[in-house]
Amino acid sequence: MPLYDARGKRNRALIIGVSRYQDPRLHDLDAVFANPDELGRVLCAPATDLFLPQEVTPLRPDTPEELTAALRTAAHEARGLLLVYFSGHGRVRRDGSDLHLLVGSSRVAQDERRVASHEAVSWAKDVLPRLERSRADRVVVVLECCFAGNADDSFRTHEKPVSLLMAAQPNRRIFSGTEPGGGTVFTRAVLDILEHGIEGKECVTFEDLAGELRRRLAGHTTPQGGAWVPRASKQNTVDDVVVSFATRELRPATPFAVRARRWWRSRPRRRLRVLTAAAVALALGATALVLVDRLRPPGSCPPAQELRLLTAPETEPTLRAAALAYEMSDLNTEPVPGEDDVPDGCRRTQITVYSAAKDQVAQGFAAADRWQGEAEGADEAPPGGSGGEATEPLYRPGPQPDLWVPESTVDYLQVRQGMAAHAPATLHRTGPVAFTPLVVGVPAARGLSEVEQAGSSWHAILDDAADRKLRLLRPSPALSGIGLMHTIGLYLADDGAPVGPDSGAPRTEVAERAESRLRAPGSQYAGSAELLCSLRPGASAADAASSGAEPDGVGARATAAPLVTEKSLADANLGHAVGNCPALATVPEKDDRYEAYYPAGVPGLDHPLIRVAWQGAADADRRRAASERFADWLRRPDGGQKVITAAGYRGVNADGRAAPPPTGSPLRDSRAGVLPDVGVEQYTAGQQRVAQVLAAYDTAHRPGQLLFLLDTSTSMADGGRIAEAADAVGRALEVLGPKDTYGLWTYPRPGTAARDRGRPVERIRAGSAGPAAGRKLLERLRRDDGGLVDQGAWMQEALTAALDRLRDSPAERTKAVVLVLDEDDGAGKRSAAAREALTDALAARPRIPVVVLATGRGGCDAAPVRHVVEGSGGNCVAGGPGAADTLAGLVASFGTGGQEAGR
């Protein structure tokens, strides 16, 4: 990716370290005291080669005003790179929102979870607006505080390119300030990287710094015992920023122009006046004219018209990059005939890109009347349902879109089928903007011996995969267009014949045969990127188990064959970011990569662009024109197609069909493991075949019976864990099919003796149907932490009771326990008999998998969680962004959620 080099420019660094606090509830951070001076020394070192001493400001603020004033000054003075570094205490609300940076005079409330906002600095309200107004070309922010990862939830800037490095993932405290020696663990690692560089790198970029910190802190844990994982995020930029020119390689010379600019700017003003007096005198008139022209403020630009683009989670990064490139393109900044109200050079359109799972999008369009009302600011949804009760609000799909790019035409057909006859939204399909074939990723060390990589039928691939003892893993058809299209291919292209209008209905024996090879309850993910992330080398035992592999290392992982897209498989093979897994420093070794097999006749994804017209829109004509301009640019070879193909997608020819990948595409890299010249089939079989495939999928699966077991001890209030848990369980309830049943239990039981703390409370009876009761209970828990029990939660005893109850229920259903907790409070306090009882319950037949959502402590790596996952053959989801959809994907594979998930 392009690199931003700020050498010789007017840069500023504001290094904030708060080590002394007046509030006795906030312990002092002795190690933080050394951070500003040490970081300032490194930033001004010749090896770093970015900042002059007068450009670096160390700050130890006592009041919020000191911090915000210094931030305002630095943001105003910077023209090149603005670096803001904060070390100190951080606090969030109970729901994990509204991160505040604490200064010396900050105070916290009695429960130590709430902060007096007027005595602290709000990340969203105080810091981000000042960064947005900065005159710097690029902004880099580093937050080293507890809950730093929660800053990503409110990380929004309209135009300013900002890169954010967070010391840890969301809802995590960190060791910061009590370490021995000068400087904190995190900052000492940053100092070493900036001062000495990274092996094999000619400089240190923002992405390099984040990746190297993740590597160096991989052996450390947070105070709760969980993995310490720094996080990185960017807004309004796809390029990378150089943060140090230190290198362990042969260092290139600093360019002469940079040295000259730096020398000029580093001289005292008196000397500058003497040296330049003659030149100024001779050229005063011309210089004055130039300066007046250069210093004149740019013309005032009106706010750009916003278009909202909804897409699938896996295509969101690529379309966001394309939208940013379009906003800066000539097409979006030149005058448009008939629209003379926007001056030349101003952006006419701003495009907001966001994503939602397939079932959530279908829910949104099915209730388009409510979706439109909320987008227009209505306070309440219109009445609906029996008895005139208010309908449930639509908060999951996001705001109403102007443009929609689903993964395939099949998703579009499903949505059209589910829309009301008089819906206030009209969908206009304008054709594809990208293609990607569907593939089977076969571990390179276990290639199929009887079939070719391209042109073999699914029937032959299934037979050979069985002989090689490969476990085929698929994204959830309920949540993922990729999973649904793979299922269509499995059922309708079993013999290799293309899927078309003349394809017959799927045969029952074909569907059952395919599902018998794919049926690994609890192994489906919400998308192919998350599935590949769980299979990446170095994934935890819980990740390996959740992907269908036994938790015994790389050998077991190499038995998993994921059904994914060509683009996502190439990303995984090349070490690019996939799902929640960040990019790797190097390309994985060959034995850790996959070979792509292309089943014959299977349609690929065509990513159609859908224009959404909403009834009653006052600016409908202008919105349509803006949408059409963007759609045209997306298909231009010198416009959006450059961004799309650079990301690993196939482009679109003038005739609307897939184009071969161009030179420079990652698909052309020999290590990508794909066949870039294999063609892409398009889906032409219509909506009826989709409905038949989903019916066959439903028939091939037994109904599910799930028991949700939720920790409601008071520790779940920390960091908004109870709200995160309620959202995730609510999302899982959405994907249960009409034949599935569930129960919802909580633990511990209030007001009981210590030996009874593991006795769960049956809030919703096991075997219940319909999600309404579950939603009401979850809403009560979500609101002000209602119903939390002020005592420890003994997980092992509660889980044993849940497993025993499910095992005693009728056997004709697929059963699972969904366990949600932050930690097991009974460790070290229970009897050996209780531990043995859980071990026996996990191993008993029939085996009942346990899916764990681990919101705190060590996450999926905590010993009690690993014991449950490995003992039951279940899996684990770590808390954080995306956890709700990931859990829903796993839950969907336990029952019949495929056909009716979008109802």
Side-chain angles (χ1 to χ4, degrees):
M1 64 180 68
L3 297 181
Y4 176 75
D5 180 353
R7 284 181 295 182
K9 299 185 179 181
R10 194 171 171 185
N11 304 321
R12 290 292 183 271
L14 179 61
I15 313 301
I16 306 162
V18 187
S19 58
R20 298 288 182 268
Y21 288 89
Q22 300 171 17
D23 191 325
R25 289 184 293 272
L26 295 170
H27 62 272
D28 289 343
L29 306 173
D30 294 334
V32 168
F33 185 82
N35 283 355
D37 294 336
E38 283 298 295
L39 191 56
R41 174 186 64 80
V42 169
L43 290 178
C44 297
T48 309
D49 205 20
L50 270 175
F51 294 92
L52 298 173
Q54 61 266 31
E55 294 176 334
V56 178
T57 302
L59 182 69
R60 297 179 176 88
D62 283 327
T63 65
E65 290 76 20
E66 287 182 63
L67 193 156
T68 54
L71 181 60
R72 184 187 305 111
T73 299
H76 176 75
E77 294 178 350
R79 296 295 184 275
L81 173 63
L82 171 61
L83 171 65
V84 180
Y85 197 107
F86 175 85
S87 296
H89 279 304
R91 284 291 190 274
V92 293
R93 292 179 177 175
R94 287 188 174 191
D95 62 0
S97 66
D98 201 15
L99 172 66
H100 278 76
L101 311 180
L102 274 56
V103 295
S105 62
S106 294
R107 295 181 294 104
V108 295
Q110 285 298 118
D111 64 1
E112 299 189 15
R113 296 191 188 99
R114 301 181 185 276
V115 63
S117 60
H118 63 283
E119 292 288 348
V121 178
S122 168
W123 160 249
K125 298 176 183 177
D126 298 325
V127 177
L128 282 177
R130 288 172 171 83
L131 298 180
E132 181 72 34
R133 292 192 291 269
S134 170
R135 301 166 76 179
D137 293 335
R138 296 292 187 278
V139 179
V140 172
V141 182
V142 182
L143 297 180
E144 182 194 12
C145 59
C146 291
F147 310 112
N150 294 53
D152 202 23
D153 287 342
S154 55
F155 183 30
R156 299 289 185 275
T157 57
H158 297 295
E159 298 182 7
K160 184 61 60 181
V162 183
S163 302
L164 171 64
L165 176 60
M166 298 156 281
Q169 59 270 51
N171 302 321
R172 299 299 196 278
R173 299 178 185 271
I174 61 171
F175 289 109
S176 178
T178 58
E179 303 91 327
T184 57
V185 168
F186 180 84
T187 296
R188 287 204 302 264
V190 172
L191 292 172
D192 185 64
I193 297 167
L194 295 182
E195 188 171 18
H196 301 110
I198 301 173
E199 192 73 36
K201 301 283 187 178
E202 292 185 355
C203 61
V204 180
T205 69
F206 173 81
E207 296 285 357
D208 293 335
L209 176 62
E212 183 68 8
L213 285 169
R214 283 189 287 265
R215 188 185 69 79
R216 294 193 182 194
L217 295 177
H220 293 70
T221 58
T222 62
Q224 298 93 342
W228 190 343
V229 185
R231 296 282 294 272
S233 185
K234 295 193 290 190
Q235 285 285 323
N236 302 319
T237 180
V238 295
D239 61 5
D240 206 352
V241 180
V242 179
V243 292
S244 172
F245 284 88
T247 178
R248 301 184 183 185
E249 312 302 315
L250 182 62
R251 178 173 175 170
T254 303
F256 173 77
V258 171
R259 298 200 306 272
R261 285 197 303 268
R262 185 176 291 143
W263 178 89
W264 183 264
R265 291 178 47 242
S266 64
R267 302 303 95 189
R269 291 185 178 181
R270 184 183 301 273
R271 181 174 297 178
L272 286 175
R273 285 198 297 268
V274 172
L275 292 174
T276 58
V280 171
L282 291 173
L284 183 61
T287 303
L289 291 175
V290 171
L291 288 176
V292 168
D293 181 67
R294 289 285 184 91
L295 297 177
R296 181 183 295 124
S300 176
C301 289
Q305 181 181 38
E306 183 189 26
L307 292 181
R308 293 180 293 269
L309 192 159
L310 173 62
T311 188
E314 292 187 33
T315 52
E316 182 182 355
T318 299
L319 288 177
R320 184 182 290 119
L324 178 61
Y326 171 73
E327 288 181 18
M328 303 305 177
S329 69
D330 291 342
L331 185 63
N332 193 46
T333 55
E334 292 177 345
V336 173
E339 296 183 16
D340 55 0
D341 56 331
V342 179
D344 188 13
C346 294
R347 292 184 308 157
R348 312 189 68 81
T349 303
Q350 173 182 318
I351 300 175
T352 300
V353 182
Y354 58 106
S355 63
K358 180 174 73 72
D359 66 312
Q360 294 171 338
V361 176
Q363 290 170 9
F365 281 112
D369 52 345
R370 283 192 285 143
W371 205 359
Q372 184 182 37
E374 291 179 10
E376 293 174 350
D379 293 331
E380 297 181 358
S386 60
E389 296 180 357
T391 54
E392 183 178 318
L394 285 174
Y395 62 93
R396 293 197 184 278
Q400 67 174 36
D402 301 291
L403 296 164
W404 173 40
V405 181
E407 289 179 302
S408 74
T409 295
V410 167
D411 298 346
Y412 163 76
L413 293 174
Q414 276 194 292
V415 164
R416 286 291 301 268
Q417 185 77 9
M419 290 179 67
H422 301 291
T426 305
L427 306 183
H428 303 272
R429 182 169 49 159
T430 68
V433 295
F435 289 91
T436 186
L438 298 185
V439 300
V440 185
V442 175
R446 302 173 69 93
L448 302 181
S449 57
E450 302 297 328
V451 298
E452 298 295 330
Q453 274 191 259
S456 299
S457 69
W458 253 123
H459 188 93
I461 292 174
L462 287 174
D463 286 343
D464 206 353
D467 292 341
R468 304 289 290 172
K469 294 182 170 53
L470 292 175
R471 303 194 65 176
L472 299 172
L473 305 174
R474 168 189 53 192
S476 168
L479 283 76
S480 165
I482 298 168
L484 176 56
M485 190 65 86
H486 260 301
T487 306
I488 289 173
L490 280 161
Y491 291 7
L492 299 181
D494 176 66
D495 57 0
V499 176
D502 297 330
S503 300
R507 302 196 307 276
T508 302
E509 63 274 15
V510 171
E512 291 179 348
R513 179 174 181 269
E515 293 305 324
S516 69
R517 295 288 296 119
L518 285 158
R519 189 181 296 134
S523 68
Q524 294 181 163
Y525 274 76
S528 62
E530 285 299 332
L531 175 54
L532 287 165
C533 177
S534 72
L535 295 171
R536 172 169 281 182
S540 68
D543 287 328
S546 68
S547 302
E550 295 299 328
D552 61 0
V554 175
R557 189 173 292 107
T559 65
L563 278 62
V564 291
T565 64
E566 178 189 67
K567 182 260 195 293
S568 60
L569 192 75
D571 282 340
N573 282 340
L574 295 174
H576 297 168
V578 287
N580 285 326
C581 287
L584 299 176
T586 59
V587 174
E589 297 294 328
K590 183 176 181 180
D591 285 349
D592 291 325
R593 302 200 296 263
Y594 297 90
E595 294 177 347
Y597 282 73
Y598 297 74
V602 174
L605 305 183
D606 59 350
H607 303 285
L609 180 67
I610 315 297
R611 184 173 60 82
V612 187
W614 294 88
Q615 290 179 8
D619 58 350
D621 292 340
R622 189 182 183 96
R623 220 167 258 283
R624 174 176 181 171
S627 299
E628 289 175 348
R629 282 197 299 270
F630 177 59
D632 174 66
W633 181 87
L634 271 181
R635 298 186 179 94
R636 288 187 182 182
D638 60 345
Q641 290 296 291
K642 291 176 64 176
V643 180
I644 288 169
T645 57
Y649 288 96
R650 307 285 188 96
V652 179
N653 278 327
D655 61 0
R657 302 189 66 83
T663 302
S665 165
L667 301 178
R668 295 289 181 186
D669 191 317
S670 60
R671 300 167 297 179
V674 301
L675 303 178
D677 295 316
V678 172
V680 184
E681 298 278 352
Q682 291 188 256
Y683 182 81
T684 58
Q687 169 59 32
Q688 182 182 5
R689 292 291 177 264
V690 178
Q692 291 170 340
V693 165
L694 288 171
Y697 174 85
D698 184 44
T699 303
H701 286 255
R702 290 189 302 173
Q705 182 175 4
L706 287 92
L707 184 54
F708 292 91
L709 183 61
L710 180 59
D711 176 359
T712 54
S713 61
T714 48
S715 63
M716 286 291 287
D718 292 343
R721 291 172 185 159
I722 191 63
E724 177 186 359
D727 286 343
V729 174
R731 179 79 177 102
L733 291 177
E734 291 179 2
V735 302
L736 294 181
K739 302 176 185 176
D740 302 329
T741 62
Y742 74 99
L744 203 160
W745 293 3
T746 62
Y747 74 104
R749 182 181 293 270
T752 59
R755 65 178 180 275
D756 295 325
R757 287 179 180 173
R759 294 175 57 204
V761 180
E762 189 175 54
R763 300 292 193 99
I764 296 177
R765 180 181 55 81
S768 299
R775 288 171 180 159
K776 289 182 180 179
L777 173 61
L778 294 169
E779 186 57 37
R780 289 200 302 272
L781 292 173
R782 185 187 291 110
R783 189 186 305 118
D784 298 325
D785 306 334
L788 296 189
V789 180
D790 190 13
Q791 59 192 42
W794 291 27
M795 176 271 290
Q796 291 192 5
E797 291 79 354
L799 181 57
T800 302
L803 290 168
D804 290 344
R805 171 65 68 88
L806 275 186
R807 194 166 280 114
D808 291 339
S809 62
E812 68 273 5
R813 293 179 174 269
T814 302
K815 303 174 184 178
V817 173
V818 180
L819 171 65
V820 183
L821 80 165
D822 60 346
E823 61 180 306
D824 179 12
D825 296 320
K829 305 172 186 176
R830 59 171 55 90
S831 66
R835 295 195 298 270
E836 292 171 1
L838 176 61
T839 300
D840 292 342
L842 293 171
R845 301 293 176 179
R847 204 177 193 189
I848 298 177
V850 180
V851 179
V852 182
L853 173 61
T855 64
R857 301 291 296 175
C860 292
D861 293 322
V865 173
R866 291 202 309 269
H867 174 62
V868 168
V869 169
E870 295 168 12
S872 70
N875 41 47
C876 179
V877 179
D885 277 341
T886 303
L887 181 69
L890 300 174
V891 167
S893 61
F894 283 105
T896 59
Q899 187 173 10
E900 300 292 337
R903 68 190 186 283

